[in-house]
Amino acid sequence: MTAADILVVGCGLAGAAAARVAADAGMRVRIIDAGLQGGVDSGCHVSADCRLTFASEARNRLTRGLLLPVEHEAAASAFGRGAEFAVGAGNGGAGLLWSGICERLDAPTSEGREFLDNCVERTYRPSEVLLGVIETVDPFTAAAFAAWPGIRSIKTASVRDGSLLRVPGPRDLLRGGGSAIDLLAGRVATVIEHRSGHATGVTALNLHTNDMEFQAADTVVVAADAVRSPALLVASRLNPEPGFPVGQWLTDHPLAVARIAATTEEGRTLADALRAGPEAMTCRGVVLAPGSGGSTRLIVSVPGGAPAQDLLMLYWYAVGYPNPNNELRFRKVADREFGLRGASVCLNAPIAPEDDLRRLLDDLTEVANRLGTPLRGWKPRLLPLGAAQHLFGTLRTALNPSAPGVTDADGKVRGFQNLFVAGPARLPAPCATNPVLASTAAAIHMAGVISGALPAHSAPWPKSAGRTEPRG
């Protein structure tokens, strides 16, 4: 098999977006992806099943069933309990139950604003076009929602599938890239082959034949999630060290949920406004920003497939704060179960202050009571860390060459000429927003730099930082 111009590891949204942009620029692109362990093809979005529309009961049960407890060490937190941690069951790079929500990233810190300015802003609009971002609800009348300052409609990704409007998956993003994109499903990347700061390709396990294969490429892009991407770097002897924090700064958004019967006038009005027709499977909802400085996100949605009575789902996301003491620790013995290769989670610091979490539950309870009555088993509660499935920060971008970081403003791995990272693992700063749109925009920016369509950032990394030679 001939070498590709670009080899993308992971067919998630960021990987698919990067592949599409590179292919449109005339480059030969190959993608390898493990796909669902159950044998479903890579990139097929499970949410195309009408029973699994956002906030439906079937979806909630499936999500709970696929939240896998992860081996972890943690200081006591979450109101005196030991912190729990869970991740979604592995399915290659494709987001199993992506909601489609596409918000521009909030940036409550100067580091976050700098990241957006350098890595995301110029490609936000192309990412919105590629994802088919639309407003999900007609504009609200001021009279109906005057009591909710800052209320706005959710923006969601969409694709038209006959008469059905649904959430797109990675394969939808690849359409139009033509024969320049070669998607090899059923491959698990095991090692990035490299020497003297140059990646030559990736060795992968073919799940169909159980053979090891070498995929050669001029440029390698690692676009798995925030657990699997650093695991692959560590498997390739790119280990964490001072200034090169692979697997560190692990962050997620604290999430509290409630499901209520809309028994008040406000609740019924909101439920009526959000109810979708049978042809729409995209998430319909509104975003409230009631927290301090607008830094939290309360998403209110009508459960998909709900019976005739008025029901509302409330998802309240708080800011997750990156901390170098929260990290992945990697064992020498690989654990292939769901792709979590030898990783365990060590939480030595809170993801969010305890006061923030208490306020989160108190505010959610107040809003739930204002809109209706919580259903049995669905009273406001905090979910385990990781349940938001917004993990980020483990291959963080540092714009200052003297700051700790794994990637630069273009997504290039420190000390390498042709090894890049795409996806939320790069996000370096606190936020409360779903990171999909920002990480997709950053991936498009990265692909533009690789293809020559966008100029690279010129600040060099110091030679003393990062990896140039593997250690045995």
Side-chain angles (χ1 to χ4, degrees):
M1 186 175 292
T2 58
D5 294 327
I6 298 180
L7 176 65
V8 179
V9 179
C11 189
L13 294 166
R20 172 66 183 274
V21 169
D24 287 348
M27 305 187 79
R28 295 170 301 165
V29 181
R30 182 170 300 137
I31 307 173
I32 60 173
D33 189 89
L36 281 166
Q37 296 295 320
V40 177
D41 283 342
S42 164
C44 290
H45 202 278
V46 183
S47 289
D49 186 334
C50 62
R51 296 166 298 179
L52 299 177
T53 50
F54 185 68
S56 68
E57 180 62 23
R59 179 193 179 102
N60 284 322
R61 288 179 178 176
L62 180 59
T63 301
R64 290 198 298 271
L66 291 176
L67 283 178
L68 306 174
V70 176
E71 179 182 336
H72 70 277
E73 304 169 22
S77 62
F79 318 134
R81 302 191 310 264
E84 299 175 283
F85 198 88
V87 298
N91 58 316
L96 175 63
L97 288 171
W98 179 45
S99 65
I101 294 173
C102 285
E103 287 192 85
R104 295 197 175 195
L105 203 67
D106 56 317
T109 65
S110 58
E111 184 179 28
R113 289 189 293 272
E114 189 177 10
F115 174 78
L116 293 179
D117 290 343
N118 285 274
C119 311
V120 175
E121 288 289 351
R122 76 178 77 181
T123 46
Y124 254 143
R125 184 55 189 156
S127 68
E128 289 172 337
V129 171
L130 184 61
L131 291 168
V133 174
I134 59 171
E135 293 277 355
T136 61
V137 182
D138 294 334
F140 299 102
T141 63
F145 298 101
W148 296 96
I151 192 170
R152 58 183 173 80
S153 171
I154 286 175
K155 290 186 177 181
T156 183
S158 67
V159 64
R160 179 67 64 178
D161 192 352
S163 61
L164 184 68
L165 188 67
R166 62 172 175 83
V167 175
R171 281 186 183 269
D172 297 303
L173 273 59
L174 297 178
R175 289 175 186 154
S179 59
I181 299 177
D182 182 18
L183 173 58
L184 301 180
R187 270 77 170 178
V188 177
T190 58
V191 177
I192 303 165
E193 307 293 351
H194 61 94
R195 183 172 181 80
S196 300
H198 185 85
T200 58
V202 171
T203 297
L205 172 66
N206 186 326
L207 296 176
H208 305 297
T209 65
N210 209 35
D211 295 326
M212 302 302 294
E213 302 174 343
F214 176 68
Q215 302 290 340
D218 296 333
T219 298
V220 174
V221 174
V222 179
D225 61 30
V227 174
R228 295 172 182 85
S229 289
L232 179 59
L233 264 63
V234 169
S236 308
R237 302 187 301 280
L238 300 175
N239 297 306
E241 61 182 39
F244 192 66
V246 175
Q248 297 172 4
W249 300 85
L250 174 70
T251 318
D252 191 29
H253 297 135
L255 171 61
V257 299
R259 188 173 189 176
I260 66 172
T263 55
T264 68
E265 183 177 353
E266 277 186 303
R268 287 190 294 269
T269 301
L270 190 55
D272 288 341
L274 296 179
R275 192 170 289 111
E279 75 286 350
M281 289 178 55
T282 53
C283 170
R284 289 171 61 87
V286 294
V287 178
L288 307 177
S292 174
S295 58
T296 65
R297 294 291 184 273
L298 171 60
I299 296 175
V300 183
S301 179
V302 172
Q309 67 263 33
D310 293 330
L311 297 178
L312 290 171
M313 279 296 304
L314 280 61
Y315 301 86
W316 206 316
Y317 299 89
V319 175
Y321 292 89
N323 188 299
N325 295 313
N326 293 329
E327 62 183 0
L328 298 168
R329 291 184 177 175
F330 301 96
R331 300 184 298 275
K332 292 183 179 180
V333 178
D335 176 9
R336 288 181 185 160
E337 185 71 5
F338 301 109
L340 295 176
R341 179 183 170 84
S344 61
V345 172
C346 184
L347 302 174
N348 290 315
I351 294 290
E354 291 290 314
D355 287 347
D356 285 9
L357 299 181
R358 293 180 189 277
R359 194 179 308 117
L360 185 71
L361 273 179
D362 290 344
D363 290 347
L364 180 58
T365 300
E366 180 181 347
V367 171
N369 291 335
R370 180 173 170 177
L371 294 175
T373 305
L375 300 180
R376 183 177 180 182
W378 279 99
K379 291 183 178 180
R381 68 187 187 278
L382 275 171
L383 294 185
L385 291 174
Q389 300 189 50
H390 294 170
L391 296 179
F392 63 96
T394 51
L395 296 174
R396 73 192 314 261
T397 288
L399 301 178
N400 183 344
S402 63
V406 179
T407 52
D408 67 8
D410 300 322
K412 187 186 298 182
V413 173
R414 176 177 287 189
F416 275 82
Q417 307 164 15
N418 65 338
L419 177 60
F420 292 78
V421 171
R426 288 184 55 198
L427 302 183
C431 65
T433 307
N434 187 318
V436 165
L437 182 62
S439 59
T440 301
I444 290 175
H445 178 276
M446 175 204 69
V449 170
I450 294 172
S451 67
L454 291 175
H457 288 77
S458 58
W461 291 105
K463 290 184 179 180
S464 60
R467 264 294 175 264
T468 57
E469 287 286 345
R471 291 179 181 172

